[in-house]
Amino acid sequence: MKDLFRDVARYLWDPPEDFPRELKLEWRLVAIRWASFIFIALGLPLANLNADRQYAIYVLLAVAAVYNGALQRLMPRKPDIFAKGYLTTLGDSLLTISMVFFGGGFESSFYYLLYSVTIAGAMRYGYGPAGAMVVLYVFFDVLEHVVVGVPFSLAFVFRSGFLFFSGILASYLREQAQRAESALQDRLRQASLLNEATAMLGASLEFEKVVAAAAAAASYLFGGACAVLTPPLRRSAGDPLLSPVVHCADPNGVIDHDQLIAACHESLAGEHSTPQTPGEALRLNLPSGATALVFPLALRDREVALPVLGVVAPSGRHVPEINQDIVESFVERVTLSIENAALYRTLASRSTDLQRAYADLAIAHQDLLSVDEMKTNFLANVSHELRTPLTSIRSFSEMLLTYDDQDVQREFLEVINSESERLTRLVNDVLDIAKIESGQMQWNLERFETGNLLEECARAYRPLLEQRELGFEVQRTGDLPELYGDRDRIQQVISNLLNNAMKFTREGTITLGAERTGDEVLISVTDTGIGVAEEDQERIFEKFQQVGAMLTDKPDGTGLGLAICRDFVAHHGGRLWIESELGRGSTFLFTLPISEVAEQIFDQGEPLPLEQAA
Ligand code: ADP
């Protein structure tokens, strides 16, 4: 029975779920009307009223009940008609006038005054004071009846009833107005809080600063001690956030950010039912007792893998209730800012990449141009070098035809012979270079004795050097390990160096040396010749570069020898360089890895790209 009564009261007082909010007051007025009808219906027999009037009032009450019932049914269906309250105001006025007409009540204008004062009091001070005023007035009315001996009439019941209901109604209206105003104030405060919080977001476009500002803004808006932004567990491509960003409003306070990060991760891992709509937050109780608010940063119409934002309030304090739409707007602004910053970052890195690619391209272009230039020069040089001996051969052979003298013929034949040797050397060198550069060189790899190699070279050159009255020494320091590689090519390198030494030395000694240095063998050819100026020391390793031509007129060579030597040595994993002083002689040195190391290098495939090794 009690429950039934409570249910009915609740049904009458609280409008249905989908009931328009602006008609809530109208709905409650229906309930108040029912209460007053019951009050009047029950109080009527007590009133000292003649039968006609009583009958009229019951009829009136029946009409009023139909009116109130109709309102109750129609209001949810046609809310528009009742939105402004014109109909109900008219109905209520007619009802009140009829009640007062049939029931009597306000014999003196003094009561109108009382009504005004009671309503004003209720509007100003609420239920308590209004109730006290009503009690006071009714008390005096009763006192008058008792003292003067006037019989209690319906007029008295009406007066008191109206006074009572007016007080309650006015107090209720006051309460509603106050609530609406405080809700409005609250929203205003939250909106300005939201503006202040999100103003921090616009300060920068840098990703790190934006996420830090987002955490700071969250902690500010929700009044939390700490806020964290955690990246999604499964990171999407191009997502620049790596580790959680923590903002603590009070660095000395009790910091729960580890627990908060864990809560965020749990929420990401789907351990709690994640809120579906943006701005809908998850309220969690952390092990430390603090309340945490966790919400995913996502936009309504897009599925973006964005970090989760969590805010924690210190234990004992709760994260304040913030309006759903304020939170939604906050989430939206934070999400957009983070997205913009990420976009900006991607753009910036793309533009850096582009700039780098452009620079690489410019370098490659430059390289291509210089390669092209080198090829052109190479071709020009080769044709020039080919033409010189060819011209000699042609002119001497033409002359040969016109001379009968055997001695002259022999002299010419010797020139023709040496020029064709030079031509052969040049063609061989050019072929070697072409093969090396196109990677078609055949390498006959084998292990060989370093000592033997040196001996063989010495045997070939000793008579030539003696012929030129030059001294020759072979200096072997310590035990020489075995080498591994193309023996003929290495021999070609030493011969070339000895040949150069011979060419550029007028007097003195030429020394062929070898020693072990670590995992390498260092081979050197030292002469006491003209030497190479420091500025030319790198240049002579380039193709067709000949320096010091003044001394020997046209040096007997192609200018390709050292370039080929350097490539051969590099192919074996070694280096070739010069140490020299102009006028005092030169030492050409090169290293070769000992056989064990060289075998490994060759086992791994092509030893070294030539340009890298050089
Ligand atoms: P070439 O076939 O002309 O000797 P190289 O490449 O062997 O070509 O040598 C290039 C140039 O380096 C030579 O023309 C010469 O100017 C210089 N050069 C080489 N070896 C020596 C040396 N031992 N003493 C002085 N200059 C040298």
Side-chain angles (χ1 to χ4, degrees), residues 451 454-476 495 498-499 502 509-512:
L454 295 182
E455 276 313 316
E456 211 166 297
C457 294
R459 240 192 331 267
Y461 273 86
R462 191 166 280 123
L464 291 173
L465 293 166
E466 274 169 8
Q467 214 176 12
R468 296 187 181 220
E469 295 178 352
L470 290 169
F472 184 55
E473 273 178 36
V474 178
Q475 272 182 6
R476 295 168 48 167
S495 299
L498 284 171
N499 202 41
M502 189 170 75
T509 308
I510 288 166
T511 313
L512 173 62

Side-chain angles (χ1 to χ4, degrees), residues 531-549:
V532 179
E534 199 170 340
E535 64 271 21
D536 293 328
Q537 287 181 3
E538 259 317 297
R539 207 154 60 84
I540 56 171
F541 292 98
E542 290 168 19
K543 294 173 203 116
F544 294 110
Q545 291 297 334
Q546 295 179 311
V547 295

Side-chain angles (χ1 to χ4, degrees), residues 111-137:
Y111 284 101
Y112 296 108
L113 206 68
L114 274 188
Y115 272 91
S116 315
V117 174
T118 310
I119 288 173
M123 290 299 265
R124 232 180 247 151
Y125 308 112
Y127 291 111
M133 280 159 99
V134 170
V135 169
L136 198 71
Y137 300 149

Side-chain angles (χ1 to χ4, degrees), residues 274-319:
T274 323
Q276 291 305 305
T277 37
E280 205 185 312
L282 201 68
R283 264 169 199 277
L284 299 173
N285 286 324
L286 298 185
S288 67
T291 314
L293 209 63
V294 177
F295 43 87
L297 295 181
L299 293 180
R300 194 181 276 284
D301 49 348
R302 263 175 293 159
E303 256 190 40
V304 215
L306 268 174
V308 164
L309 187 60
V311 187
V312 68
S315 53
R317 236 183 72 195
H318 286 284
V319 180

Side-chain angles (χ1 to χ4, degrees), residues 393-455:
I393 292 171
R394 234 187 88 199
S395 27
F396 277 95
S397 48
E398 271 173 11
M399 283 194 291
L400 195 64
L401 292 174
T402 57
Y403 281 86
D404 290 333
D405 185 344
Q406 277 215 337
D407 285 347
V408 176
Q409 278 185 343
R410 185 174 179 78
E411 195 186 318
F412 284 2
L413 276 173
E414 273 172 8
V415 174
I416 290 174
N417 186 41
S418 91
E419 284 302 295
S420 35
E421 271 177 14
R422 184 168 155 197
L423 203 60
T424 314
R425 259 203 317 276
L426 179 70
V427 170
N428 283 340
D429 282 357
V430 170
L431 280 176
D432 276 353
I433 293 248
K435 274 195 218 155
I436 296 172
E437 290 191 349
S438 63
Q440 285 172 354
M441 193 83 183
Q442 289 291 329
W443 304 94
N444 300 316
L445 303 175
E446 57 178 333
R447 264 176 184 251
F448 55 89
E449 286 286 335
T450 314
N452 279 352
L453 178 70
L454 295 182
E455 276 313 316

Side-chain angles (χ1 to χ4, degrees), residues 512-564:
L512 173 62
E515 63 178 296
R516 180 184 179 148
T517 52
D519 278 350
E520 290 178 327
V521 174
L522 178 71
I523 297 173
S524 60
V525 175
T526 308
D527 64 52
T528 50
I530 58 169
V532 179
E534 199 170 340
E535 64 271 21
D536 293 328
Q537 287 181 3
E538 259 317 297
R539 207 154 60 84
I540 56 171
F541 292 98
E542 290 168 19
K543 294 173 203 116
F544 294 110
Q545 291 297 334
Q546 295 179 311
V547 295
M550 291 75 88
L551 189 96
T552 49
D553 281 329
K554 168 75 192 161
D556 176 21
T558 58
L560 293 172
L562 287 177
I564 295 173

